[in-house]
Amino acid sequence: MRSSFISESPCDEQHIHGYGFNPQSWLQVERGKLPKASYSPSSIESLIKIAEPPVVPLYKPLDYVEVLSRIHEELEQCTPSERPGLYLVQSQVFRGLGEAKLRQRSLHSAWRCANTVHEKVIFGAWLRYEKRGEEIISDVLASCKKCCREFGPLDVASEVPARNFEIVSSCEMGYSSRVSSTVTFQIRDGRVTCDRRNIASLSIPFCSMLNGPFTESQLELVDLSENGISLEGMRAVSFFSSSYSLGDLPLEILLEILVFANTFCCDRLKDACDRKLASFVSSRQDAVELMALAFEENAPVLAASCLQMLLQELPDCLSDETFEKGNNDNEAEHHFEVAFSAGHVYSIAGIARVTGLKGKKGLAYEKLSSVMTSSVSLGWMYLERSLYSEGDRKLTDLDKSTELDPTLTYPYMFRAASLMRKKDAKLALEEINRLLGFKLALECLELRICLYLALEDYKSAICDIHAILTLSPEYRMLEGRVAASKIGTLLGAHVEQWNTAECWLQLYERWSSVDDIGSLSVIYRMLESDAAKGVLYFRQSLLLLRLNCPEAAMRSLQLARHHAATEHERLVYEGWLLYDTGHYALKCPSDRLRKGQALNNLGGVYVDCGKLDSAADCYTSALKIRHTRAHQGLARVHFLRNNRDAAYDEMTKLIEKAKNNASAYEKRSEYCEREQTMADLQTVTQLDPLRVYPYRYRAADNDNAYISQVLMDSHKEKEAITELSRAIAFKADLHLLHLRAAFHEHIGDVPSALRDCRAALSLDPNHQEMLELQKRVNSQEP
């Protein structure tokens, strides 16, 4: 780092904000195009700003395992009408846990079990919103019979069952033969003559008026001018009284009839009008205008149609100026307090934020501390409390939050920024890399870009810029002031440019070293050129899946399909996989990359068939063209040949080559003695705390051993349960819950075992081993 950059020379506010928020001027200074005298080194401080983490709008129970267990138990015992609501709550728990697929499954269950048209409309819209990326490929899903009905709008009127309306008999009301069989209604200047018996049959009020002890029953002319019905509307009512059909009527007349039917309690007429009006809802504007009337006149079919139209346009309709908008700011504290009183402990974070904004940081700190002393302490509690303290006390809380929940991003970002301000760029990068090694968070990538800019490492900075733009093309940096694409353009002039051949060599190099972000960057560059885009987008999707970015991967696959050069290539992309069968090969420079993957896959097939020599040949051939992951397959072959040392050495080679090597350490742990195994698994947890195998191994000491024999000789059951609970607190995993349930069963804690069984079955209701364990535990319950 240049000494001029880290100097403490004073500067004025204009220079800090001028250059700090203008990356183009800042880069021009660094390139020597502007004088250093006009540039303040302290301006980098404005780049390294850490925003407070948002209060997330998620359902975050203190003990999600307990909640999932209760929901599962209720689903086993509830009535059909209660199921949709329970599945909805279950989906919200999964949302708070970040389990998108499980959340969609619960929403689909709620939609499938819906009892009313309103439930179907709401759950269907929710599913469409969750799966909005899949709508583009609905034709492919339909061809595979995978397309669900929730993608299309419902025919609301047909979904609402027709009611059996009782026809009012005029004879029951004392119909007299002396009264005329017709009645004429006066509507201002016009008249409509109707059959008295038919009109009377529409409702009890009409029957009483025309045949009962009222003056109108003796009249042949009744004035209805003050009842809000037009001459045309009354003619339609008369026609309906004899035919039970409304025919083709304009919207205005139908609205008149709906109000008229409500006024005179004509249920059958109202139902027909309600269903007719529903067909007029064809746009967002229609829905906005008719929704209020539907509620006011209690028209359920019309209301459901309006609701469906609005929900279909989520989230765009929320920004429509025709919707009334209010300020929640003044009421925020009240709502947080109500939620907290109702048992949602996470809402204390919102209460503390509002208290802090009022300048009462000490009180906010106390509010969070009170929750932590009276309940289970979780990572987010320490994170939130850290916002209201300074110095060592703040860092202590942040360190504790990471210990309890290593997936929280703010602590890493704060520590990295603090280290950078202390001019320890190396440690700052190490800190932020700890998180980015297992969680690709955009805000963390942005911070690392700022650190690279401070180090004048423009090559690494633009690599991360490309990763951000791959994940979110419209992303804006520096608190939303500058488009990431603009910074990328500015940095582009600061790095070496590659031609097509050089790009392929760079991609090959990064792919073989398991540098996923570096590979994304090279692909991003290539997509800006005239290279064949289909195969590039597909390779991009493979990288994004490996980086646990499924939505971005889906977008890349769609683009791969769109840019496919041939029909065969398009079918490959539509199949969501790329497997070289040897019968057809793409003529492009990525053949060797694809060939390496194909050889690796073929080696796995040979291993499964017991043909170890053929498998070894495939893996060796893959390694010759630098498909680095083949080390793992070759290690497996060595192990199956009873050569554990060779397997260990093979995985060590992979560890040395791979940039992201948590999985390599995990696999190597299977080929070494216990002490080295524990060391490797500890390294895995440090690199990627989301990988569950190390927790399982440390709990059971040998995951393949029979559970009743594991750790029991040394009476370490409680230590095993503690180790598993450590990971379960932030990672909902079936295998961890299964193992903990088995330990609980062994020590005789039947309620805890049953709780873990039910929670695990919420994750996978058809898991056979869990079902057997639950049955066994149930038999022990008093």
Side-chain angles (χ1 to χ4, degrees):
M1 186 184 298
R2 295 178 183 172
S3 59
S4 62
F5 178 76
I6 62 173
S7 67
E8 298 291 339
S9 58
C11 61
D12 57 37
E13 285 292 309
Q14 181 180 1
H15 284 154
I16 289 178
H17 292 281
Y19 290 119
F21 296 143
N22 187 340
Q24 186 166 13
S25 299
W26 182 73
L27 283 171
Q28 287 177 339
V29 169
E30 292 303 304
R31 296 175 196 150
K33 294 182 178 179
L34 291 179
K36 289 275 184 179
S38 64
Y39 165 63
S40 167
S42 301
S43 64
I44 195 63
E45 290 288 328
S46 62
L47 291 175
I48 306 177
K49 284 190 174 182
I50 308 300
E52 288 187 354
V55 178
V56 293
L58 305 174
Y59 176 41
K60 294 175 72 71
L62 283 183
D63 187 349
Y64 75 86
V65 174
E66 177 66 30
V67 174
L68 286 176
S69 174
R70 289 205 308 266
I71 293 172
H72 186 81
E73 183 179 15
E74 291 182 41
L75 283 168
E76 291 179 325
Q77 303 170 357
C78 70
T79 62
S81 62
E82 295 172 314
R83 282 182 168 271
L86 288 169
Y87 279 124
L88 177 62
V89 177
Q90 187 185 69
S91 75
Q92 294 305 300
V93 176
F94 288 140
R95 183 187 180 203
L97 292 170
E99 297 289 344
K101 289 185 178 179
L102 293 177
R103 183 187 180 197
Q104 287 184 16
R105 190 196 68 194
S106 295
L107 280 174
H108 194 273
S109 297
W111 176 79
R112 193 177 60 249
C113 298
N115 300 286
T116 68
V117 66
H118 299 90
E119 287 181 346
K120 289 182 181 179
V121 166
I122 291 171
F123 295 138
W126 215 325
L127 271 173
R128 277 194 304 275
Y129 182 75
E130 290 290 317
K131 297 183 176 183
R132 54 195 180 277
E134 295 182 19
E135 291 178 327
I136 301 174
I137 56 169
S138 58
D139 57 330
V140 178
L141 295 174
S143 67
C144 302
K145 298 182 179 180
K146 297 286 185 181
C147 192
C148 297
R149 283 180 59 212
E150 70 268 17
F151 280 146
L154 292 174
D155 181 357
V156 174
S158 66
E159 291 285 338
V160 178
R163 293 166 53 192
N164 292 320
F165 296 98
E166 183 179 353
I167 299 175
V168 179
S169 172
S170 57
C171 296
E172 295 175 2
M173 299 302 298
Y175 178 74
S176 173
S177 60
R178 292 174 297 173
V179 180
S180 171
S181 63
T182 62
V183 60
T184 300
F185 294 103
Q186 179 81 37
I187 310 291
R188 288 176 286 279
D189 296 333
R191 295 181 178 183
V192 179
T193 300
C194 309
D195 184 282
R196 183 182 292 267
R197 185 185 295 270
N198 290 342
I199 292 293
S201 70
L202 288 176
S203 70
I204 291 177
F206 263 131
C207 193
S208 299
M209 182 178 73
L210 297 178
N211 298 315
F214 294 95
T215 304
E216 288 83 355
S217 65
Q218 305 300 318
L219 300 178
E220 294 186 15
L221 182 66
V222 178
D223 191 354
L224 288 183
S225 299
E226 303 301 321
N227 285 275
I229 191 81
S230 66
L231 200 63
E232 186 179 357
M234 196 62 213
R235 288 194 185 104
V237 172
S238 176
F239 178 75
F240 181 86
S241 70
S242 60
S243 67
Y244 298 121
S245 172
L246 284 170
D248 294 327
L249 295 171
L251 176 64
E252 295 75 13
I253 300 302
L254 286 170
L255 294 175
E256 284 181 13
I257 295 173
L258 179 65
V259 176
F260 180 84
N262 259 336
T263 302
F264 289 95
C265 303
C266 304
D267 292 340
R268 187 164 189 163
L269 174 63
K270 174 187 172 182
D271 181 72
C273 193
D274 185 14
R275 292 172 185 273
K276 202 79 172 177
L277 282 167
S279 65
F280 282 81
V281 183
S282 58
S283 69
R284 184 193 306 176
Q285 188 62 35
D286 294 335
V288 172
E289 293 175 353
L290 293 173
M291 178 66 89
L293 178 77
F295 282 118
E296 185 178 340
E297 299 298 332
N298 190 24
V301 182
L302 177 60
S305 296
C306 294
L307 179 64
Q308 178 172 247
M309 179 57 66
L310 294 175
L311 292 177
Q312 279 182 333
E313 299 198 18
L314 283 174
D316 294 343
C317 69
L318 298 179
S319 59
D320 194 314
E321 294 181 357
T322 59
F323 288 92
E324 183 178 355
K325 297 179 177 64
N327 190 340
N328 238 0
D329 292 345
N330 296 329
E331 301 176 5
E333 186 172 24
H334 168 71
H335 290 304
F336 282 131
E337 287 176 345
V338 171
F340 181 73
S341 300
H344 188 229
V345 178
Y346 179 73
S347 292
I348 195 68
I351 296 173
R353 294 290 182 96
V354 176
T355 303
L357 289 173
K358 293 178 179 178
K360 302 177 181 178
K361 286 194 172 184
L363 181 58
Y365 187 93
E366 292 173 6
K367 286 179 182 290
L368 285 161
S369 297
S370 66
V371 172
M372 294 162 69
T373 56
S374 62
S375 61
V376 178
S377 295
L378 298 174
W380 66 260
M381 296 178 179
Y382 285 92
L383 185 157
E384 289 293 329
R385 193 172 71 171
S386 74
L387 302 178
Y388 310 106
S389 57
E390 302 293 338
D392 291 340
R393 190 164 69 166
K394 185 182 189 79
L395 288 172
T396 299
D397 273 354
L398 289 174
D399 289 343
K400 186 65 175 179
S401 73
T402 299
E403 177 188 335
L404 294 173
D405 186 350
T407 67
L408 297 171
T409 61
Y410 178 79
Y412 298 93
M413 296 176 67
F414 184 88
R415 288 189 292 261
S418 298
L419 288 166
M420 194 61 194
R421 293 188 182 103
K422 294 176 182 177
K423 307 178 186 63
D424 200 332
K426 181 180 178 181
L427 286 180
L429 276 174
E430 288 179 0
E431 181 64 32
I432 203 64
N433 285 341
R434 285 175 59 197
L435 181 74
L436 288 171
F438 65 89
K439 183 177 180 180
L440 198 60
L442 290 176
E443 63 272 21
C444 293
L445 280 173
E446 179 178 350
L447 177 59
R448 190 165 73 174
I449 290 167
C450 294
L451 298 179
Y452 283 139
L453 291 177
L455 293 169
E456 300 175 20
D457 185 353
Y458 301 134
K459 182 179 179 181
S460 297
I462 200 169
C463 183
D464 281 355
I465 286 281
H466 290 160
I468 282 181
L469 292 173
T470 300
L471 292 167
S472 179
E474 305 301 321
Y475 190 82
R476 299 184 68 83
M477 298 174 58
L478 304 177
E479 300 176 312
R481 284 183 289 275
V482 184
S485 57
K486 180 176 178 61
I487 296 182
T489 301
L490 295 171
L491 287 172
H494 228 53
V495 298
E496 180 185 1
Q497 302 301 307
W498 301 323
N499 58 34
T500 302
E502 289 170 331
C503 282
W504 281 114
L505 288 173
Q506 292 291 337
L507 177 58
Y508 192 27
E509 181 68 32
R510 284 158 177 73
W511 188 269
S512 63
S513 64
V514 199
D515 179 3
D516 295 333
I517 293 180
S519 298
L520 280 179
S521 177
V522 178
I523 289 174
Y524 186 89
R525 288 199 193 193
M526 297 173 74
L527 286 169
E528 293 181 322
S529 68
D530 295 328
K533 290 183 170 50
V535 68
L536 290 173
Y537 278 122
F538 188 82
R539 188 152 298 280
Q540 187 182 75
S541 73
L542 295 178
L543 287 164
L544 291 168
L545 282 175
R546 197 156 64 215
L547 290 166
N548 196 28
C549 302
E551 291 182 5
M554 168 74 89
R555 187 169 61 246
S556 295
L557 276 168
Q558 292 166 359
L559 290 168
R561 177 193 178 209
H562 178 73
H563 290 281
T566 66
E567 177 69 9
H568 176 86
E569 188 181 343
R570 182 181 66 80
L571 291 173
V572 170
Y573 302 146
E574 288 181 355
W576 285 65
L577 53 90
L578 184 61
Y579 186 80
D580 196 334
T581 62
H583 301 293
Y584 191 95
L586 296 177
K587 301 301 180 182
C588 69
S590 68
D591 276 351
R592 288 169 69 82
L593 294 173
R594 297 175 66 250
K595 184 177 180 182
Q597 183 67 54
L599 286 167
N600 196 63
N601 292 342
L602 186 59
V605 173
Y606 280 132
V607 168
D608 293 339
C609 296
K611 298 180 179 180
L612 299 184
D613 291 341
S614 298
D617 290 341
C618 285
Y619 291 130
T620 302
S621 297
L623 288 171
K624 287 179 180 177
I625 56 174
R626 300 175 67 184
H627 188 79
T628 311
R629 293 174 184 81
H631 281 298
Q632 184 168 319
L634 194 54
R636 186 183 176 198
V637 171
H638 290 315
F639 180 72
L640 292 173
R641 288 172 170 171
N642 296 319
N643 191 344
R644 178 176 288 208
D645 290 342
Y648 180 89
D649 293 340
E650 203 67 46
M651 291 308 300
T652 301
K653 294 175 184 177
L654 177 56
I655 289 171
E656 293 169 350
K657 293 180 181 179
K659 187 169 183 179
N660 300 319
N661 52 21
S663 64
Y665 276 106
E666 182 176 287
K667 195 65 181 176
R668 190 178 73 170
S669 70
E670 299 178 19
Y671 306 133
C672 48
E673 299 301 326
R674 185 180 181 281
E675 185 176 344
Q676 183 60 46
T677 294
M678 298 300 285
D680 276 357
L681 292 180
Q682 187 60 37
T683 301
V684 173
T685 299
Q686 291 172 356
L687 294 173
D688 186 352
L690 294 179
R691 301 185 77 90
V692 300
Y693 175 77
Y695 301 99
R696 294 169 58 192
Y697 185 93
R698 286 190 290 264
D701 212 351
N702 181 354
D703 192 55
N704 297 318
Y706 184 65
I707 189 62
S708 64
Q709 300 173 348
V710 175
L711 284 181
M712 299 311 163
D713 293 339
S714 54
H715 303 289
K716 292 184 178 179
E717 299 94 336
K718 291 184 179 179
E719 290 88 338
I721 290 172
T722 299
E723 178 66 28
L724 292 167
S725 300
R726 175 187 165 201
I728 289 171
F730 61 86
K731 173 70 173 177
D733 182 80
L734 176 73
H735 302 292
L736 294 178
L737 287 166
H738 185 194
L739 195 56
R740 191 172 73 171
F743 275 117
H744 281 309
E745 181 199 23
H746 183 83
I747 65 176
D749 188 350
V750 173
S752 295
L754 197 55
R755 175 203 61 196
D756 284 353
C757 286
R758 288 169 175 156
L761 288 171
S762 295
L763 303 178
D764 184 356
N766 301 314
H767 192 271
Q768 193 59 40
E769 291 183 16
M770 284 306 315
L771 290 168
E772 292 172 0
L773 179 58
Q774 183 192 34
K775 183 178 179 180
R776 189 168 69 243
V777 174
N778 265 325
S779 67
Q780 303 173 36
E781 193 176 27

